[in-house]
Amino acid sequence: MLDDLGGWWAAGQPVGLATVVETWRSAPRPPGATMLVGPGGTAVGSVSGGCVEGAVYELASEVVAGARPVRRRYGVSDGDAFAVGLTCGGTIDVFVERVDRDAFPQLGEVIRDIRAGVPVAVVTCVAAGELDPAGRLGRRLVVWHDRTAGSLGTDRLDGAATDDARGMLATGRTGTLRYGYDGQRRGEDLTLFVSSFAPAPRMIIFGAIDFAAAVARIGAFLGYRVTVCDARPVFATARRFPEAHEVVVDWPHRYLRAQADAGLIDERTVTCVLTHDPKFDGPLLDVALRLPLAYVGAMGSRRTHEQRLTRLREAGLTEAELSRLASPVGLDLGGRTPEETAVSIAAEIIASRWGGTGQPLTRRAGRIHHEMV
């Protein structure tokens, strides 16, 4: 879809861009899902898995022909959802706008950065009150970690949106923000939609052992960019870890510190310490638990865990920092093999990410899907 959008934009051809900006219940597609209506009525992508595509297509065609940007709410009935392979319906808000070289002059640069893995967020005003004095609907601000382009209407609004969008970009989160007309954070006059485009989150596995190969395999399956690091070159080889994106020979604590100093890890990064050796995992955990990582897990027995805690306290870590350590690593699944252990580690990472309990769903009531935490 990115190639289609970039090609039409470069050729100076207008495109209707429909984006899911908010959802309720078990909506078919998440916020950020898009559909394009290009030259000759070509349709690419989906906002609902087929339930309301026809209506969105007509609306996008009107916007391409000159109509104002519009936000429209669609209810997906349970019957329509079932017809396209879903178990239940939901409600989606779709924002439809015209994209061309005049309306979005930064798009070429945004597409280049997305392809290069450079984090970038696109902030669009998708709803404005009737009294909006500046006609902000459809205005756009592009946010990088060190600069911005475009404007939402006022310096104060741009500043507030930039700060908040950078926070969302750091965690790879796409969603809405609400402000007053001049950027007041308690206001409800304007709704901004932040599309975050960030590289895949990282999983860094320390310890080139057989369990690490299984964790690397499931990490790649879950969409992480996987690195295996070990100070021993005889074990840290690409041949032993074919599913890893990279295998690094370095002292674990030194590698993690260098990656952090270079800005190559973020709040989505997960680490798995499988070294089983105090001379490796002690200095490594001393670094890892002081960083804003999403997950720090360490393999070992309960006795090993208690010994680690003693050494880390002596190194000056606080109880709050130590509380972030998942050790012994993984959920209690009763597994034995490296593959089963990898599943338990992955399950704990997922539960940590979404606020899950790890309990069987049959023993719980209420919503199945948790809100992002």
Side-chain angles (χ1 to χ4, degrees):
M1 187 182 301
L2 200 63
D3 290 341
D4 292 315
L5 179 60
W8 289 327
W9 178 89
Q13 297 174 306
V15 179
L17 173 61
T19 305
V20 176
V21 294
E22 288 194 88
T23 66
W24 295 266
R25 293 180 63 208
S26 296
R29 300 294 306 279
T34 58
M35 184 175 78
L36 307 176
V37 176
T42 303
V44 180
S46 171
V47 294
S48 70
C51 305
V52 300
E53 248 67 20
V56 174
Y57 177 90
E58 294 298 329
L59 189 59
S61 299
E62 294 173 7
V63 170
V64 170
R68 285 172 48 82
V70 62
R71 176 171 171 160
R72 187 69 53 83
R73 180 163 296 177
Y74 297 93
V76 181
S77 71
D78 289 350
D80 288 342
F82 183 78
V84 294
L86 303 167
T87 57
C88 54
T91 302
I92 61 174
D93 272 12
V94 180
F95 183 70
V96 184
E97 60 186 319
R98 172 180 164 133
V99 172
D100 56 33
R101 295 180 71 93
D102 293 329
F104 197 170
Q106 306 90 358
L107 180 60
E109 185 177 6
V110 169
I111 291 176
R112 286 195 299 272
D113 284 345
I114 292 172
R115 288 171 173 161
V118 177
V120 58
V122 179
V123 186
T124 307
C125 182
V126 299
E130 295 181 359
L131 300 179
D132 178 19
R136 291 178 175 85
L137 186 67
R139 288 202 180 192
R140 189 179 291 106
L141 178 72
V142 183
V143 178
W144 292 269
H145 80 281
D146 58 351
R147 61 191 174 93
T148 65
S151 177
L152 296 165
T154 70
D155 290 342
R156 183 178 174 185
L157 177 60
D158 288 347
T162 296
D163 289 343
D164 293 340
R166 283 178 176 153
M168 294 175 69
L169 186 59
T171 58
R173 187 163 65 91
T174 285
T176 55
L177 301 169
R178 289 181 171 83
Y179 302 96
Y181 285 128
D182 196 30
Q184 302 94 327
R185 281 193 167 85
R186 293 187 178 181
E188 295 288 333
D189 302 310
L190 304 174
T191 300
L192 309 183
F193 183 71
V194 182
S195 292
S196 293
F197 301 96
R202 296 189 65 186
M203 172 183 283
I204 308 179
I205 303 167
F206 296 99
I209 63 176
D210 51 354
F211 287 91
V215 175
R217 189 177 309 120
I218 200 167
F221 172 76
L222 291 175
Y224 287 95
R225 178 172 180 82
V226 178
T227 300
V228 175
C229 175
D230 197 299
R232 302 165 297 179
V234 66
F235 297 116
T237 66
R239 183 174 182 179
R240 295 188 68 226
F241 301 97
E243 281 82 14
H245 295 88
E246 59 182 350
V247 179
V248 175
V249 178
D250 200 350
W251 279 79
H253 72 283
R254 184 170 61 190
Y255 175 75
L256 185 60
R257 181 74 267 168
Q259 293 292 289
D261 291 343
L264 297 176
I265 61 175
D266 58 28
E267 295 174 9
R268 302 173 300 153
T269 302
V270 301
T271 57
C272 302
V273 181
L274 312 179
T275 47
H276 281 306
D277 189 332
K279 72 174 178 291
F280 290 126
D281 61 29
L284 171 59
L285 291 172
D286 189 16
V287 174
L289 292 172
R290 300 177 194 271
L291 295 174
L293 303 175
Y295 175 86
V296 181
M299 180 176 284
S301 67
R302 297 195 185 280
R303 179 181 178 184
T304 298
H305 172 66
E306 292 302 324
Q307 292 172 341
R308 279 195 192 117
L309 291 182
T310 298
R311 290 192 297 269
L312 291 170
R313 288 189 181 99
E314 292 172 351
L317 271 79
T318 67
E319 293 303 313
E321 290 168 335
L322 293 174
S323 70
R324 298 177 51 238
L325 176 60
S327 174
V329 70
L331 296 185
D332 179 16
L333 303 183
R336 295 289 189 272
T337 68
E339 290 74 19
E340 291 169 342
T341 301
V343 170
S344 77
I345 294 172
E348 186 172 48
I349 290 171
I350 294 168
S352 173
R353 170 69 177 85
W354 292 102
T357 65
Q359 297 179 10
L361 290 173
T362 55
R363 297 181 185 175
R364 292 183 52 80
R367 296 183 57 180
I368 293 176
H369 299 293
H370 292 248
E371 297 293 336
M372 184 179 294
V373 294

